[in-house]
Amino acid sequence: MPEGRQVTGEPDELYERLKAFEGRAAATAGTGKDPVNEPMIRHWCEAMGDTNPAYSGPEAIAPPTMLQAWTMGGLSGHTDRSAAYEELFGLLDGAGYTSVVATDCEQEYLRPLRPGDLITFDAVIESVSERKTTKLGRGYFVTTRMDVRADGVRAGTHRFRILKYTPAAPRRSEPRRTGPERAARGEGRSLRPRPVINRDNAGFWQGVAEHRLLIQRCGDCATLRFPWLPGCNACGCQEWDTVEASGEGTVFSHVVMHHPPFPAFGADGAGGPYAVALIELAEGVRMVSNVIGVPYDKVRTGMPVRLEFLRTDPDLELPVFRGGEG
């Protein structure tokens, strides 16, 4: 979540107009496009690598973290947003706060969801922050709360927060440097996004800094898990230790990113195309990373890969995988 500090000493007439939207409906009597169903649960579990037996069989429930999935509009979008919601975002866009980034969400689970449940929901504009200055730029945090029902009974609450902002201008206060000086500092080109490091994954990034790829291991059932989580998704135990990955793996699946171009992801600064793969490690867990060392159009499912650590700029080093023949 971008850190923000309040802008003080400046009048903010827009904030007073935005504040008036708090408590107004963002969606009323919304309906999930599909009932809770086994195929979506299966796809979710396969994508997340979640093998909890509670999510399959005749008494299956849906993973609680799928709460929002049953309310999403899909590619065709939402048709149940309120006029107040559209007006709020129209005000922000009209004032120049046209960029948006999701910052965080909170969920509360009140009742398990089971195949066949019909999902309905209402949403409210819960809060609009005062104008904040963040590393991304200046803007407002907008929080909406969605109350989700299954067959008319409250099943959970989903809070979703975004930042509507005007991008910050690049800093130009430092003296100009020569080309070699800028290259040595990683300047003169785009930088890759920074990972969000928190108390749940700090150990993983500490391992990366030491050129070690660490996988969590449950202290009860010994199940390996990745990405890092506070508890085991097989048995729920919150005790764990780590094992170091051997670095061997294969490409389980992959995509080639063509557009939009991100210069930071291209070795030549052109921004692509480049390959993003789901790597199956020899230990059995999977992780998303870049495949390097082979042309993007030569990456194939089943290709053997080997772990490397790539320094993308002076402040960031990432685990990547070098492709081989096979």
Side-chain angles (χ1 to χ4, degrees):
M1 175 176 176
E3 296 180 358
R5 58 180 176 83
Q6 184 174 334
V7 179
T8 58
E10 298 181 19
D12 188 0
E13 295 179 1
L14 177 62
Y15 172 65
E16 297 305 321
R17 298 175 66 188
L18 300 174
K19 188 76 172 174
F21 285 88
E22 291 186 347
R24 297 179 64 179
T28 303
T31 303
K33 291 194 171 182
D34 296 286
V36 177
N37 61 84
E38 293 178 4
M40 285 181 66
I41 294 173
R42 184 180 70 252
H43 292 315
W44 174 281
C45 290
E46 288 180 356
M48 301 301 292
D50 194 337
T51 58
N52 192 318
Y55 307 145
S56 61
E59 302 298 324
I61 63 172
T65 48
M66 287 187 74
L67 181 68
Q68 185 192 17
W70 310 109
T71 69
M72 298 177 75
L75 294 177
S76 58
H78 289 277
T79 59
D80 44 30
R81 284 177 172 163
S82 69
Y85 184 92
E86 301 294 350
E87 186 180 348
L88 170 63
F89 281 84
L91 276 175
L92 287 164
D93 289 341
Y97 301 96
T98 54
S99 296
V100 62
V101 62
T103 60
D104 64 298
C105 70
E106 302 172 8
Q107 293 185 337
E108 180 183 11
Y109 312 118
L110 304 176
R111 163 200 185 289
L113 298 179
R114 292 181 169 83
D117 284 343
L118 299 177
I119 301 301
T120 56
F121 57 89
D122 295 305
V124 65
I125 302 165
E126 189 169 67
S127 66
V128 182
S129 76
E130 296 184 359
R131 187 170 55 200
K132 306 285 187 177
T133 296
T134 74
K135 291 182 180 179
L136 292 176
R138 182 177 291 190
Y140 301 85
F141 291 93
V142 179
T143 304
T144 54
R145 187 192 76 242
M146 178 181 291
D147 294 315
V148 180
R149 296 179 296 275
D151 292 336
V153 178
R154 279 194 66 201
T157 300
H158 174 76
R159 282 183 174 85
F160 192 69
R161 186 175 294 111
I162 65 171
L163 171 65
K164 284 284 286 181
Y165 67 100
T166 299
R171 296 182 180 178
R172 301 189 180 278
S173 57
E174 295 188 4
R176 292 175 62 91
R177 296 186 177 90
T178 65
E181 289 174 331
R182 288 168 62 83
R185 292 174 59 91
E187 298 176 352
R189 58 180 171 82
S190 299
L191 301 181
R192 293 199 184 193
R194 298 357 241 171
V196 176
I197 300 176
N198 54 39
R199 63 183 181 182
D200 292 330
N201 65 13
F204 170 77
W205 290 106
Q206 179 60 41
V208 170
E210 299 168 356
H211 286 191
R212 304 167 65 216
L213 184 62
L214 299 179
I215 304 169
Q216 281 183 310
R217 178 173 57 190
C218 176
D220 188 5
C221 68
T223 297
L224 300 181
R225 64 179 185 262
F226 193 92
W228 282 35
L229 296 169
C232 179
N233 55 14
C235 72
C237 176
Q238 295 186 353
E239 301 297 325
W240 54 271
D241 61 5
T242 62
V243 297
E244 183 175 355
S246 68
E248 302 291 340
T250 57
V251 174
F252 183 81
S253 65
H254 74 283
V255 296
V256 175
M257 300 298 296
H258 292 270
H259 185 80
F262 289 101
F265 285 86
D268 59 359
Y274 56 91
V276 179
L278 182 62
I279 305 297
E280 184 160 58
L281 300 178
E283 291 73 18
V285 298
R286 300 170 187 161
M287 66 178 292
V288 175
S289 185
N290 288 124
V291 176
I292 64 172
V294 294
Y296 68 87
D297 57 352
K298 300 299 182 183
V299 177
R300 294 289 183 268
T301 298
M303 172 183 284
V305 292
R306 176 72 186 175
L307 173 68
E308 292 187 6
F309 292 90
L310 174 68
R311 182 165 293 282
T312 62
D313 61 64
D315 300 318
L316 184 63
E317 196 164 17
L318 296 171
V320 298
F321 290 84
R322 181 169 295 276
E325 299 299 329

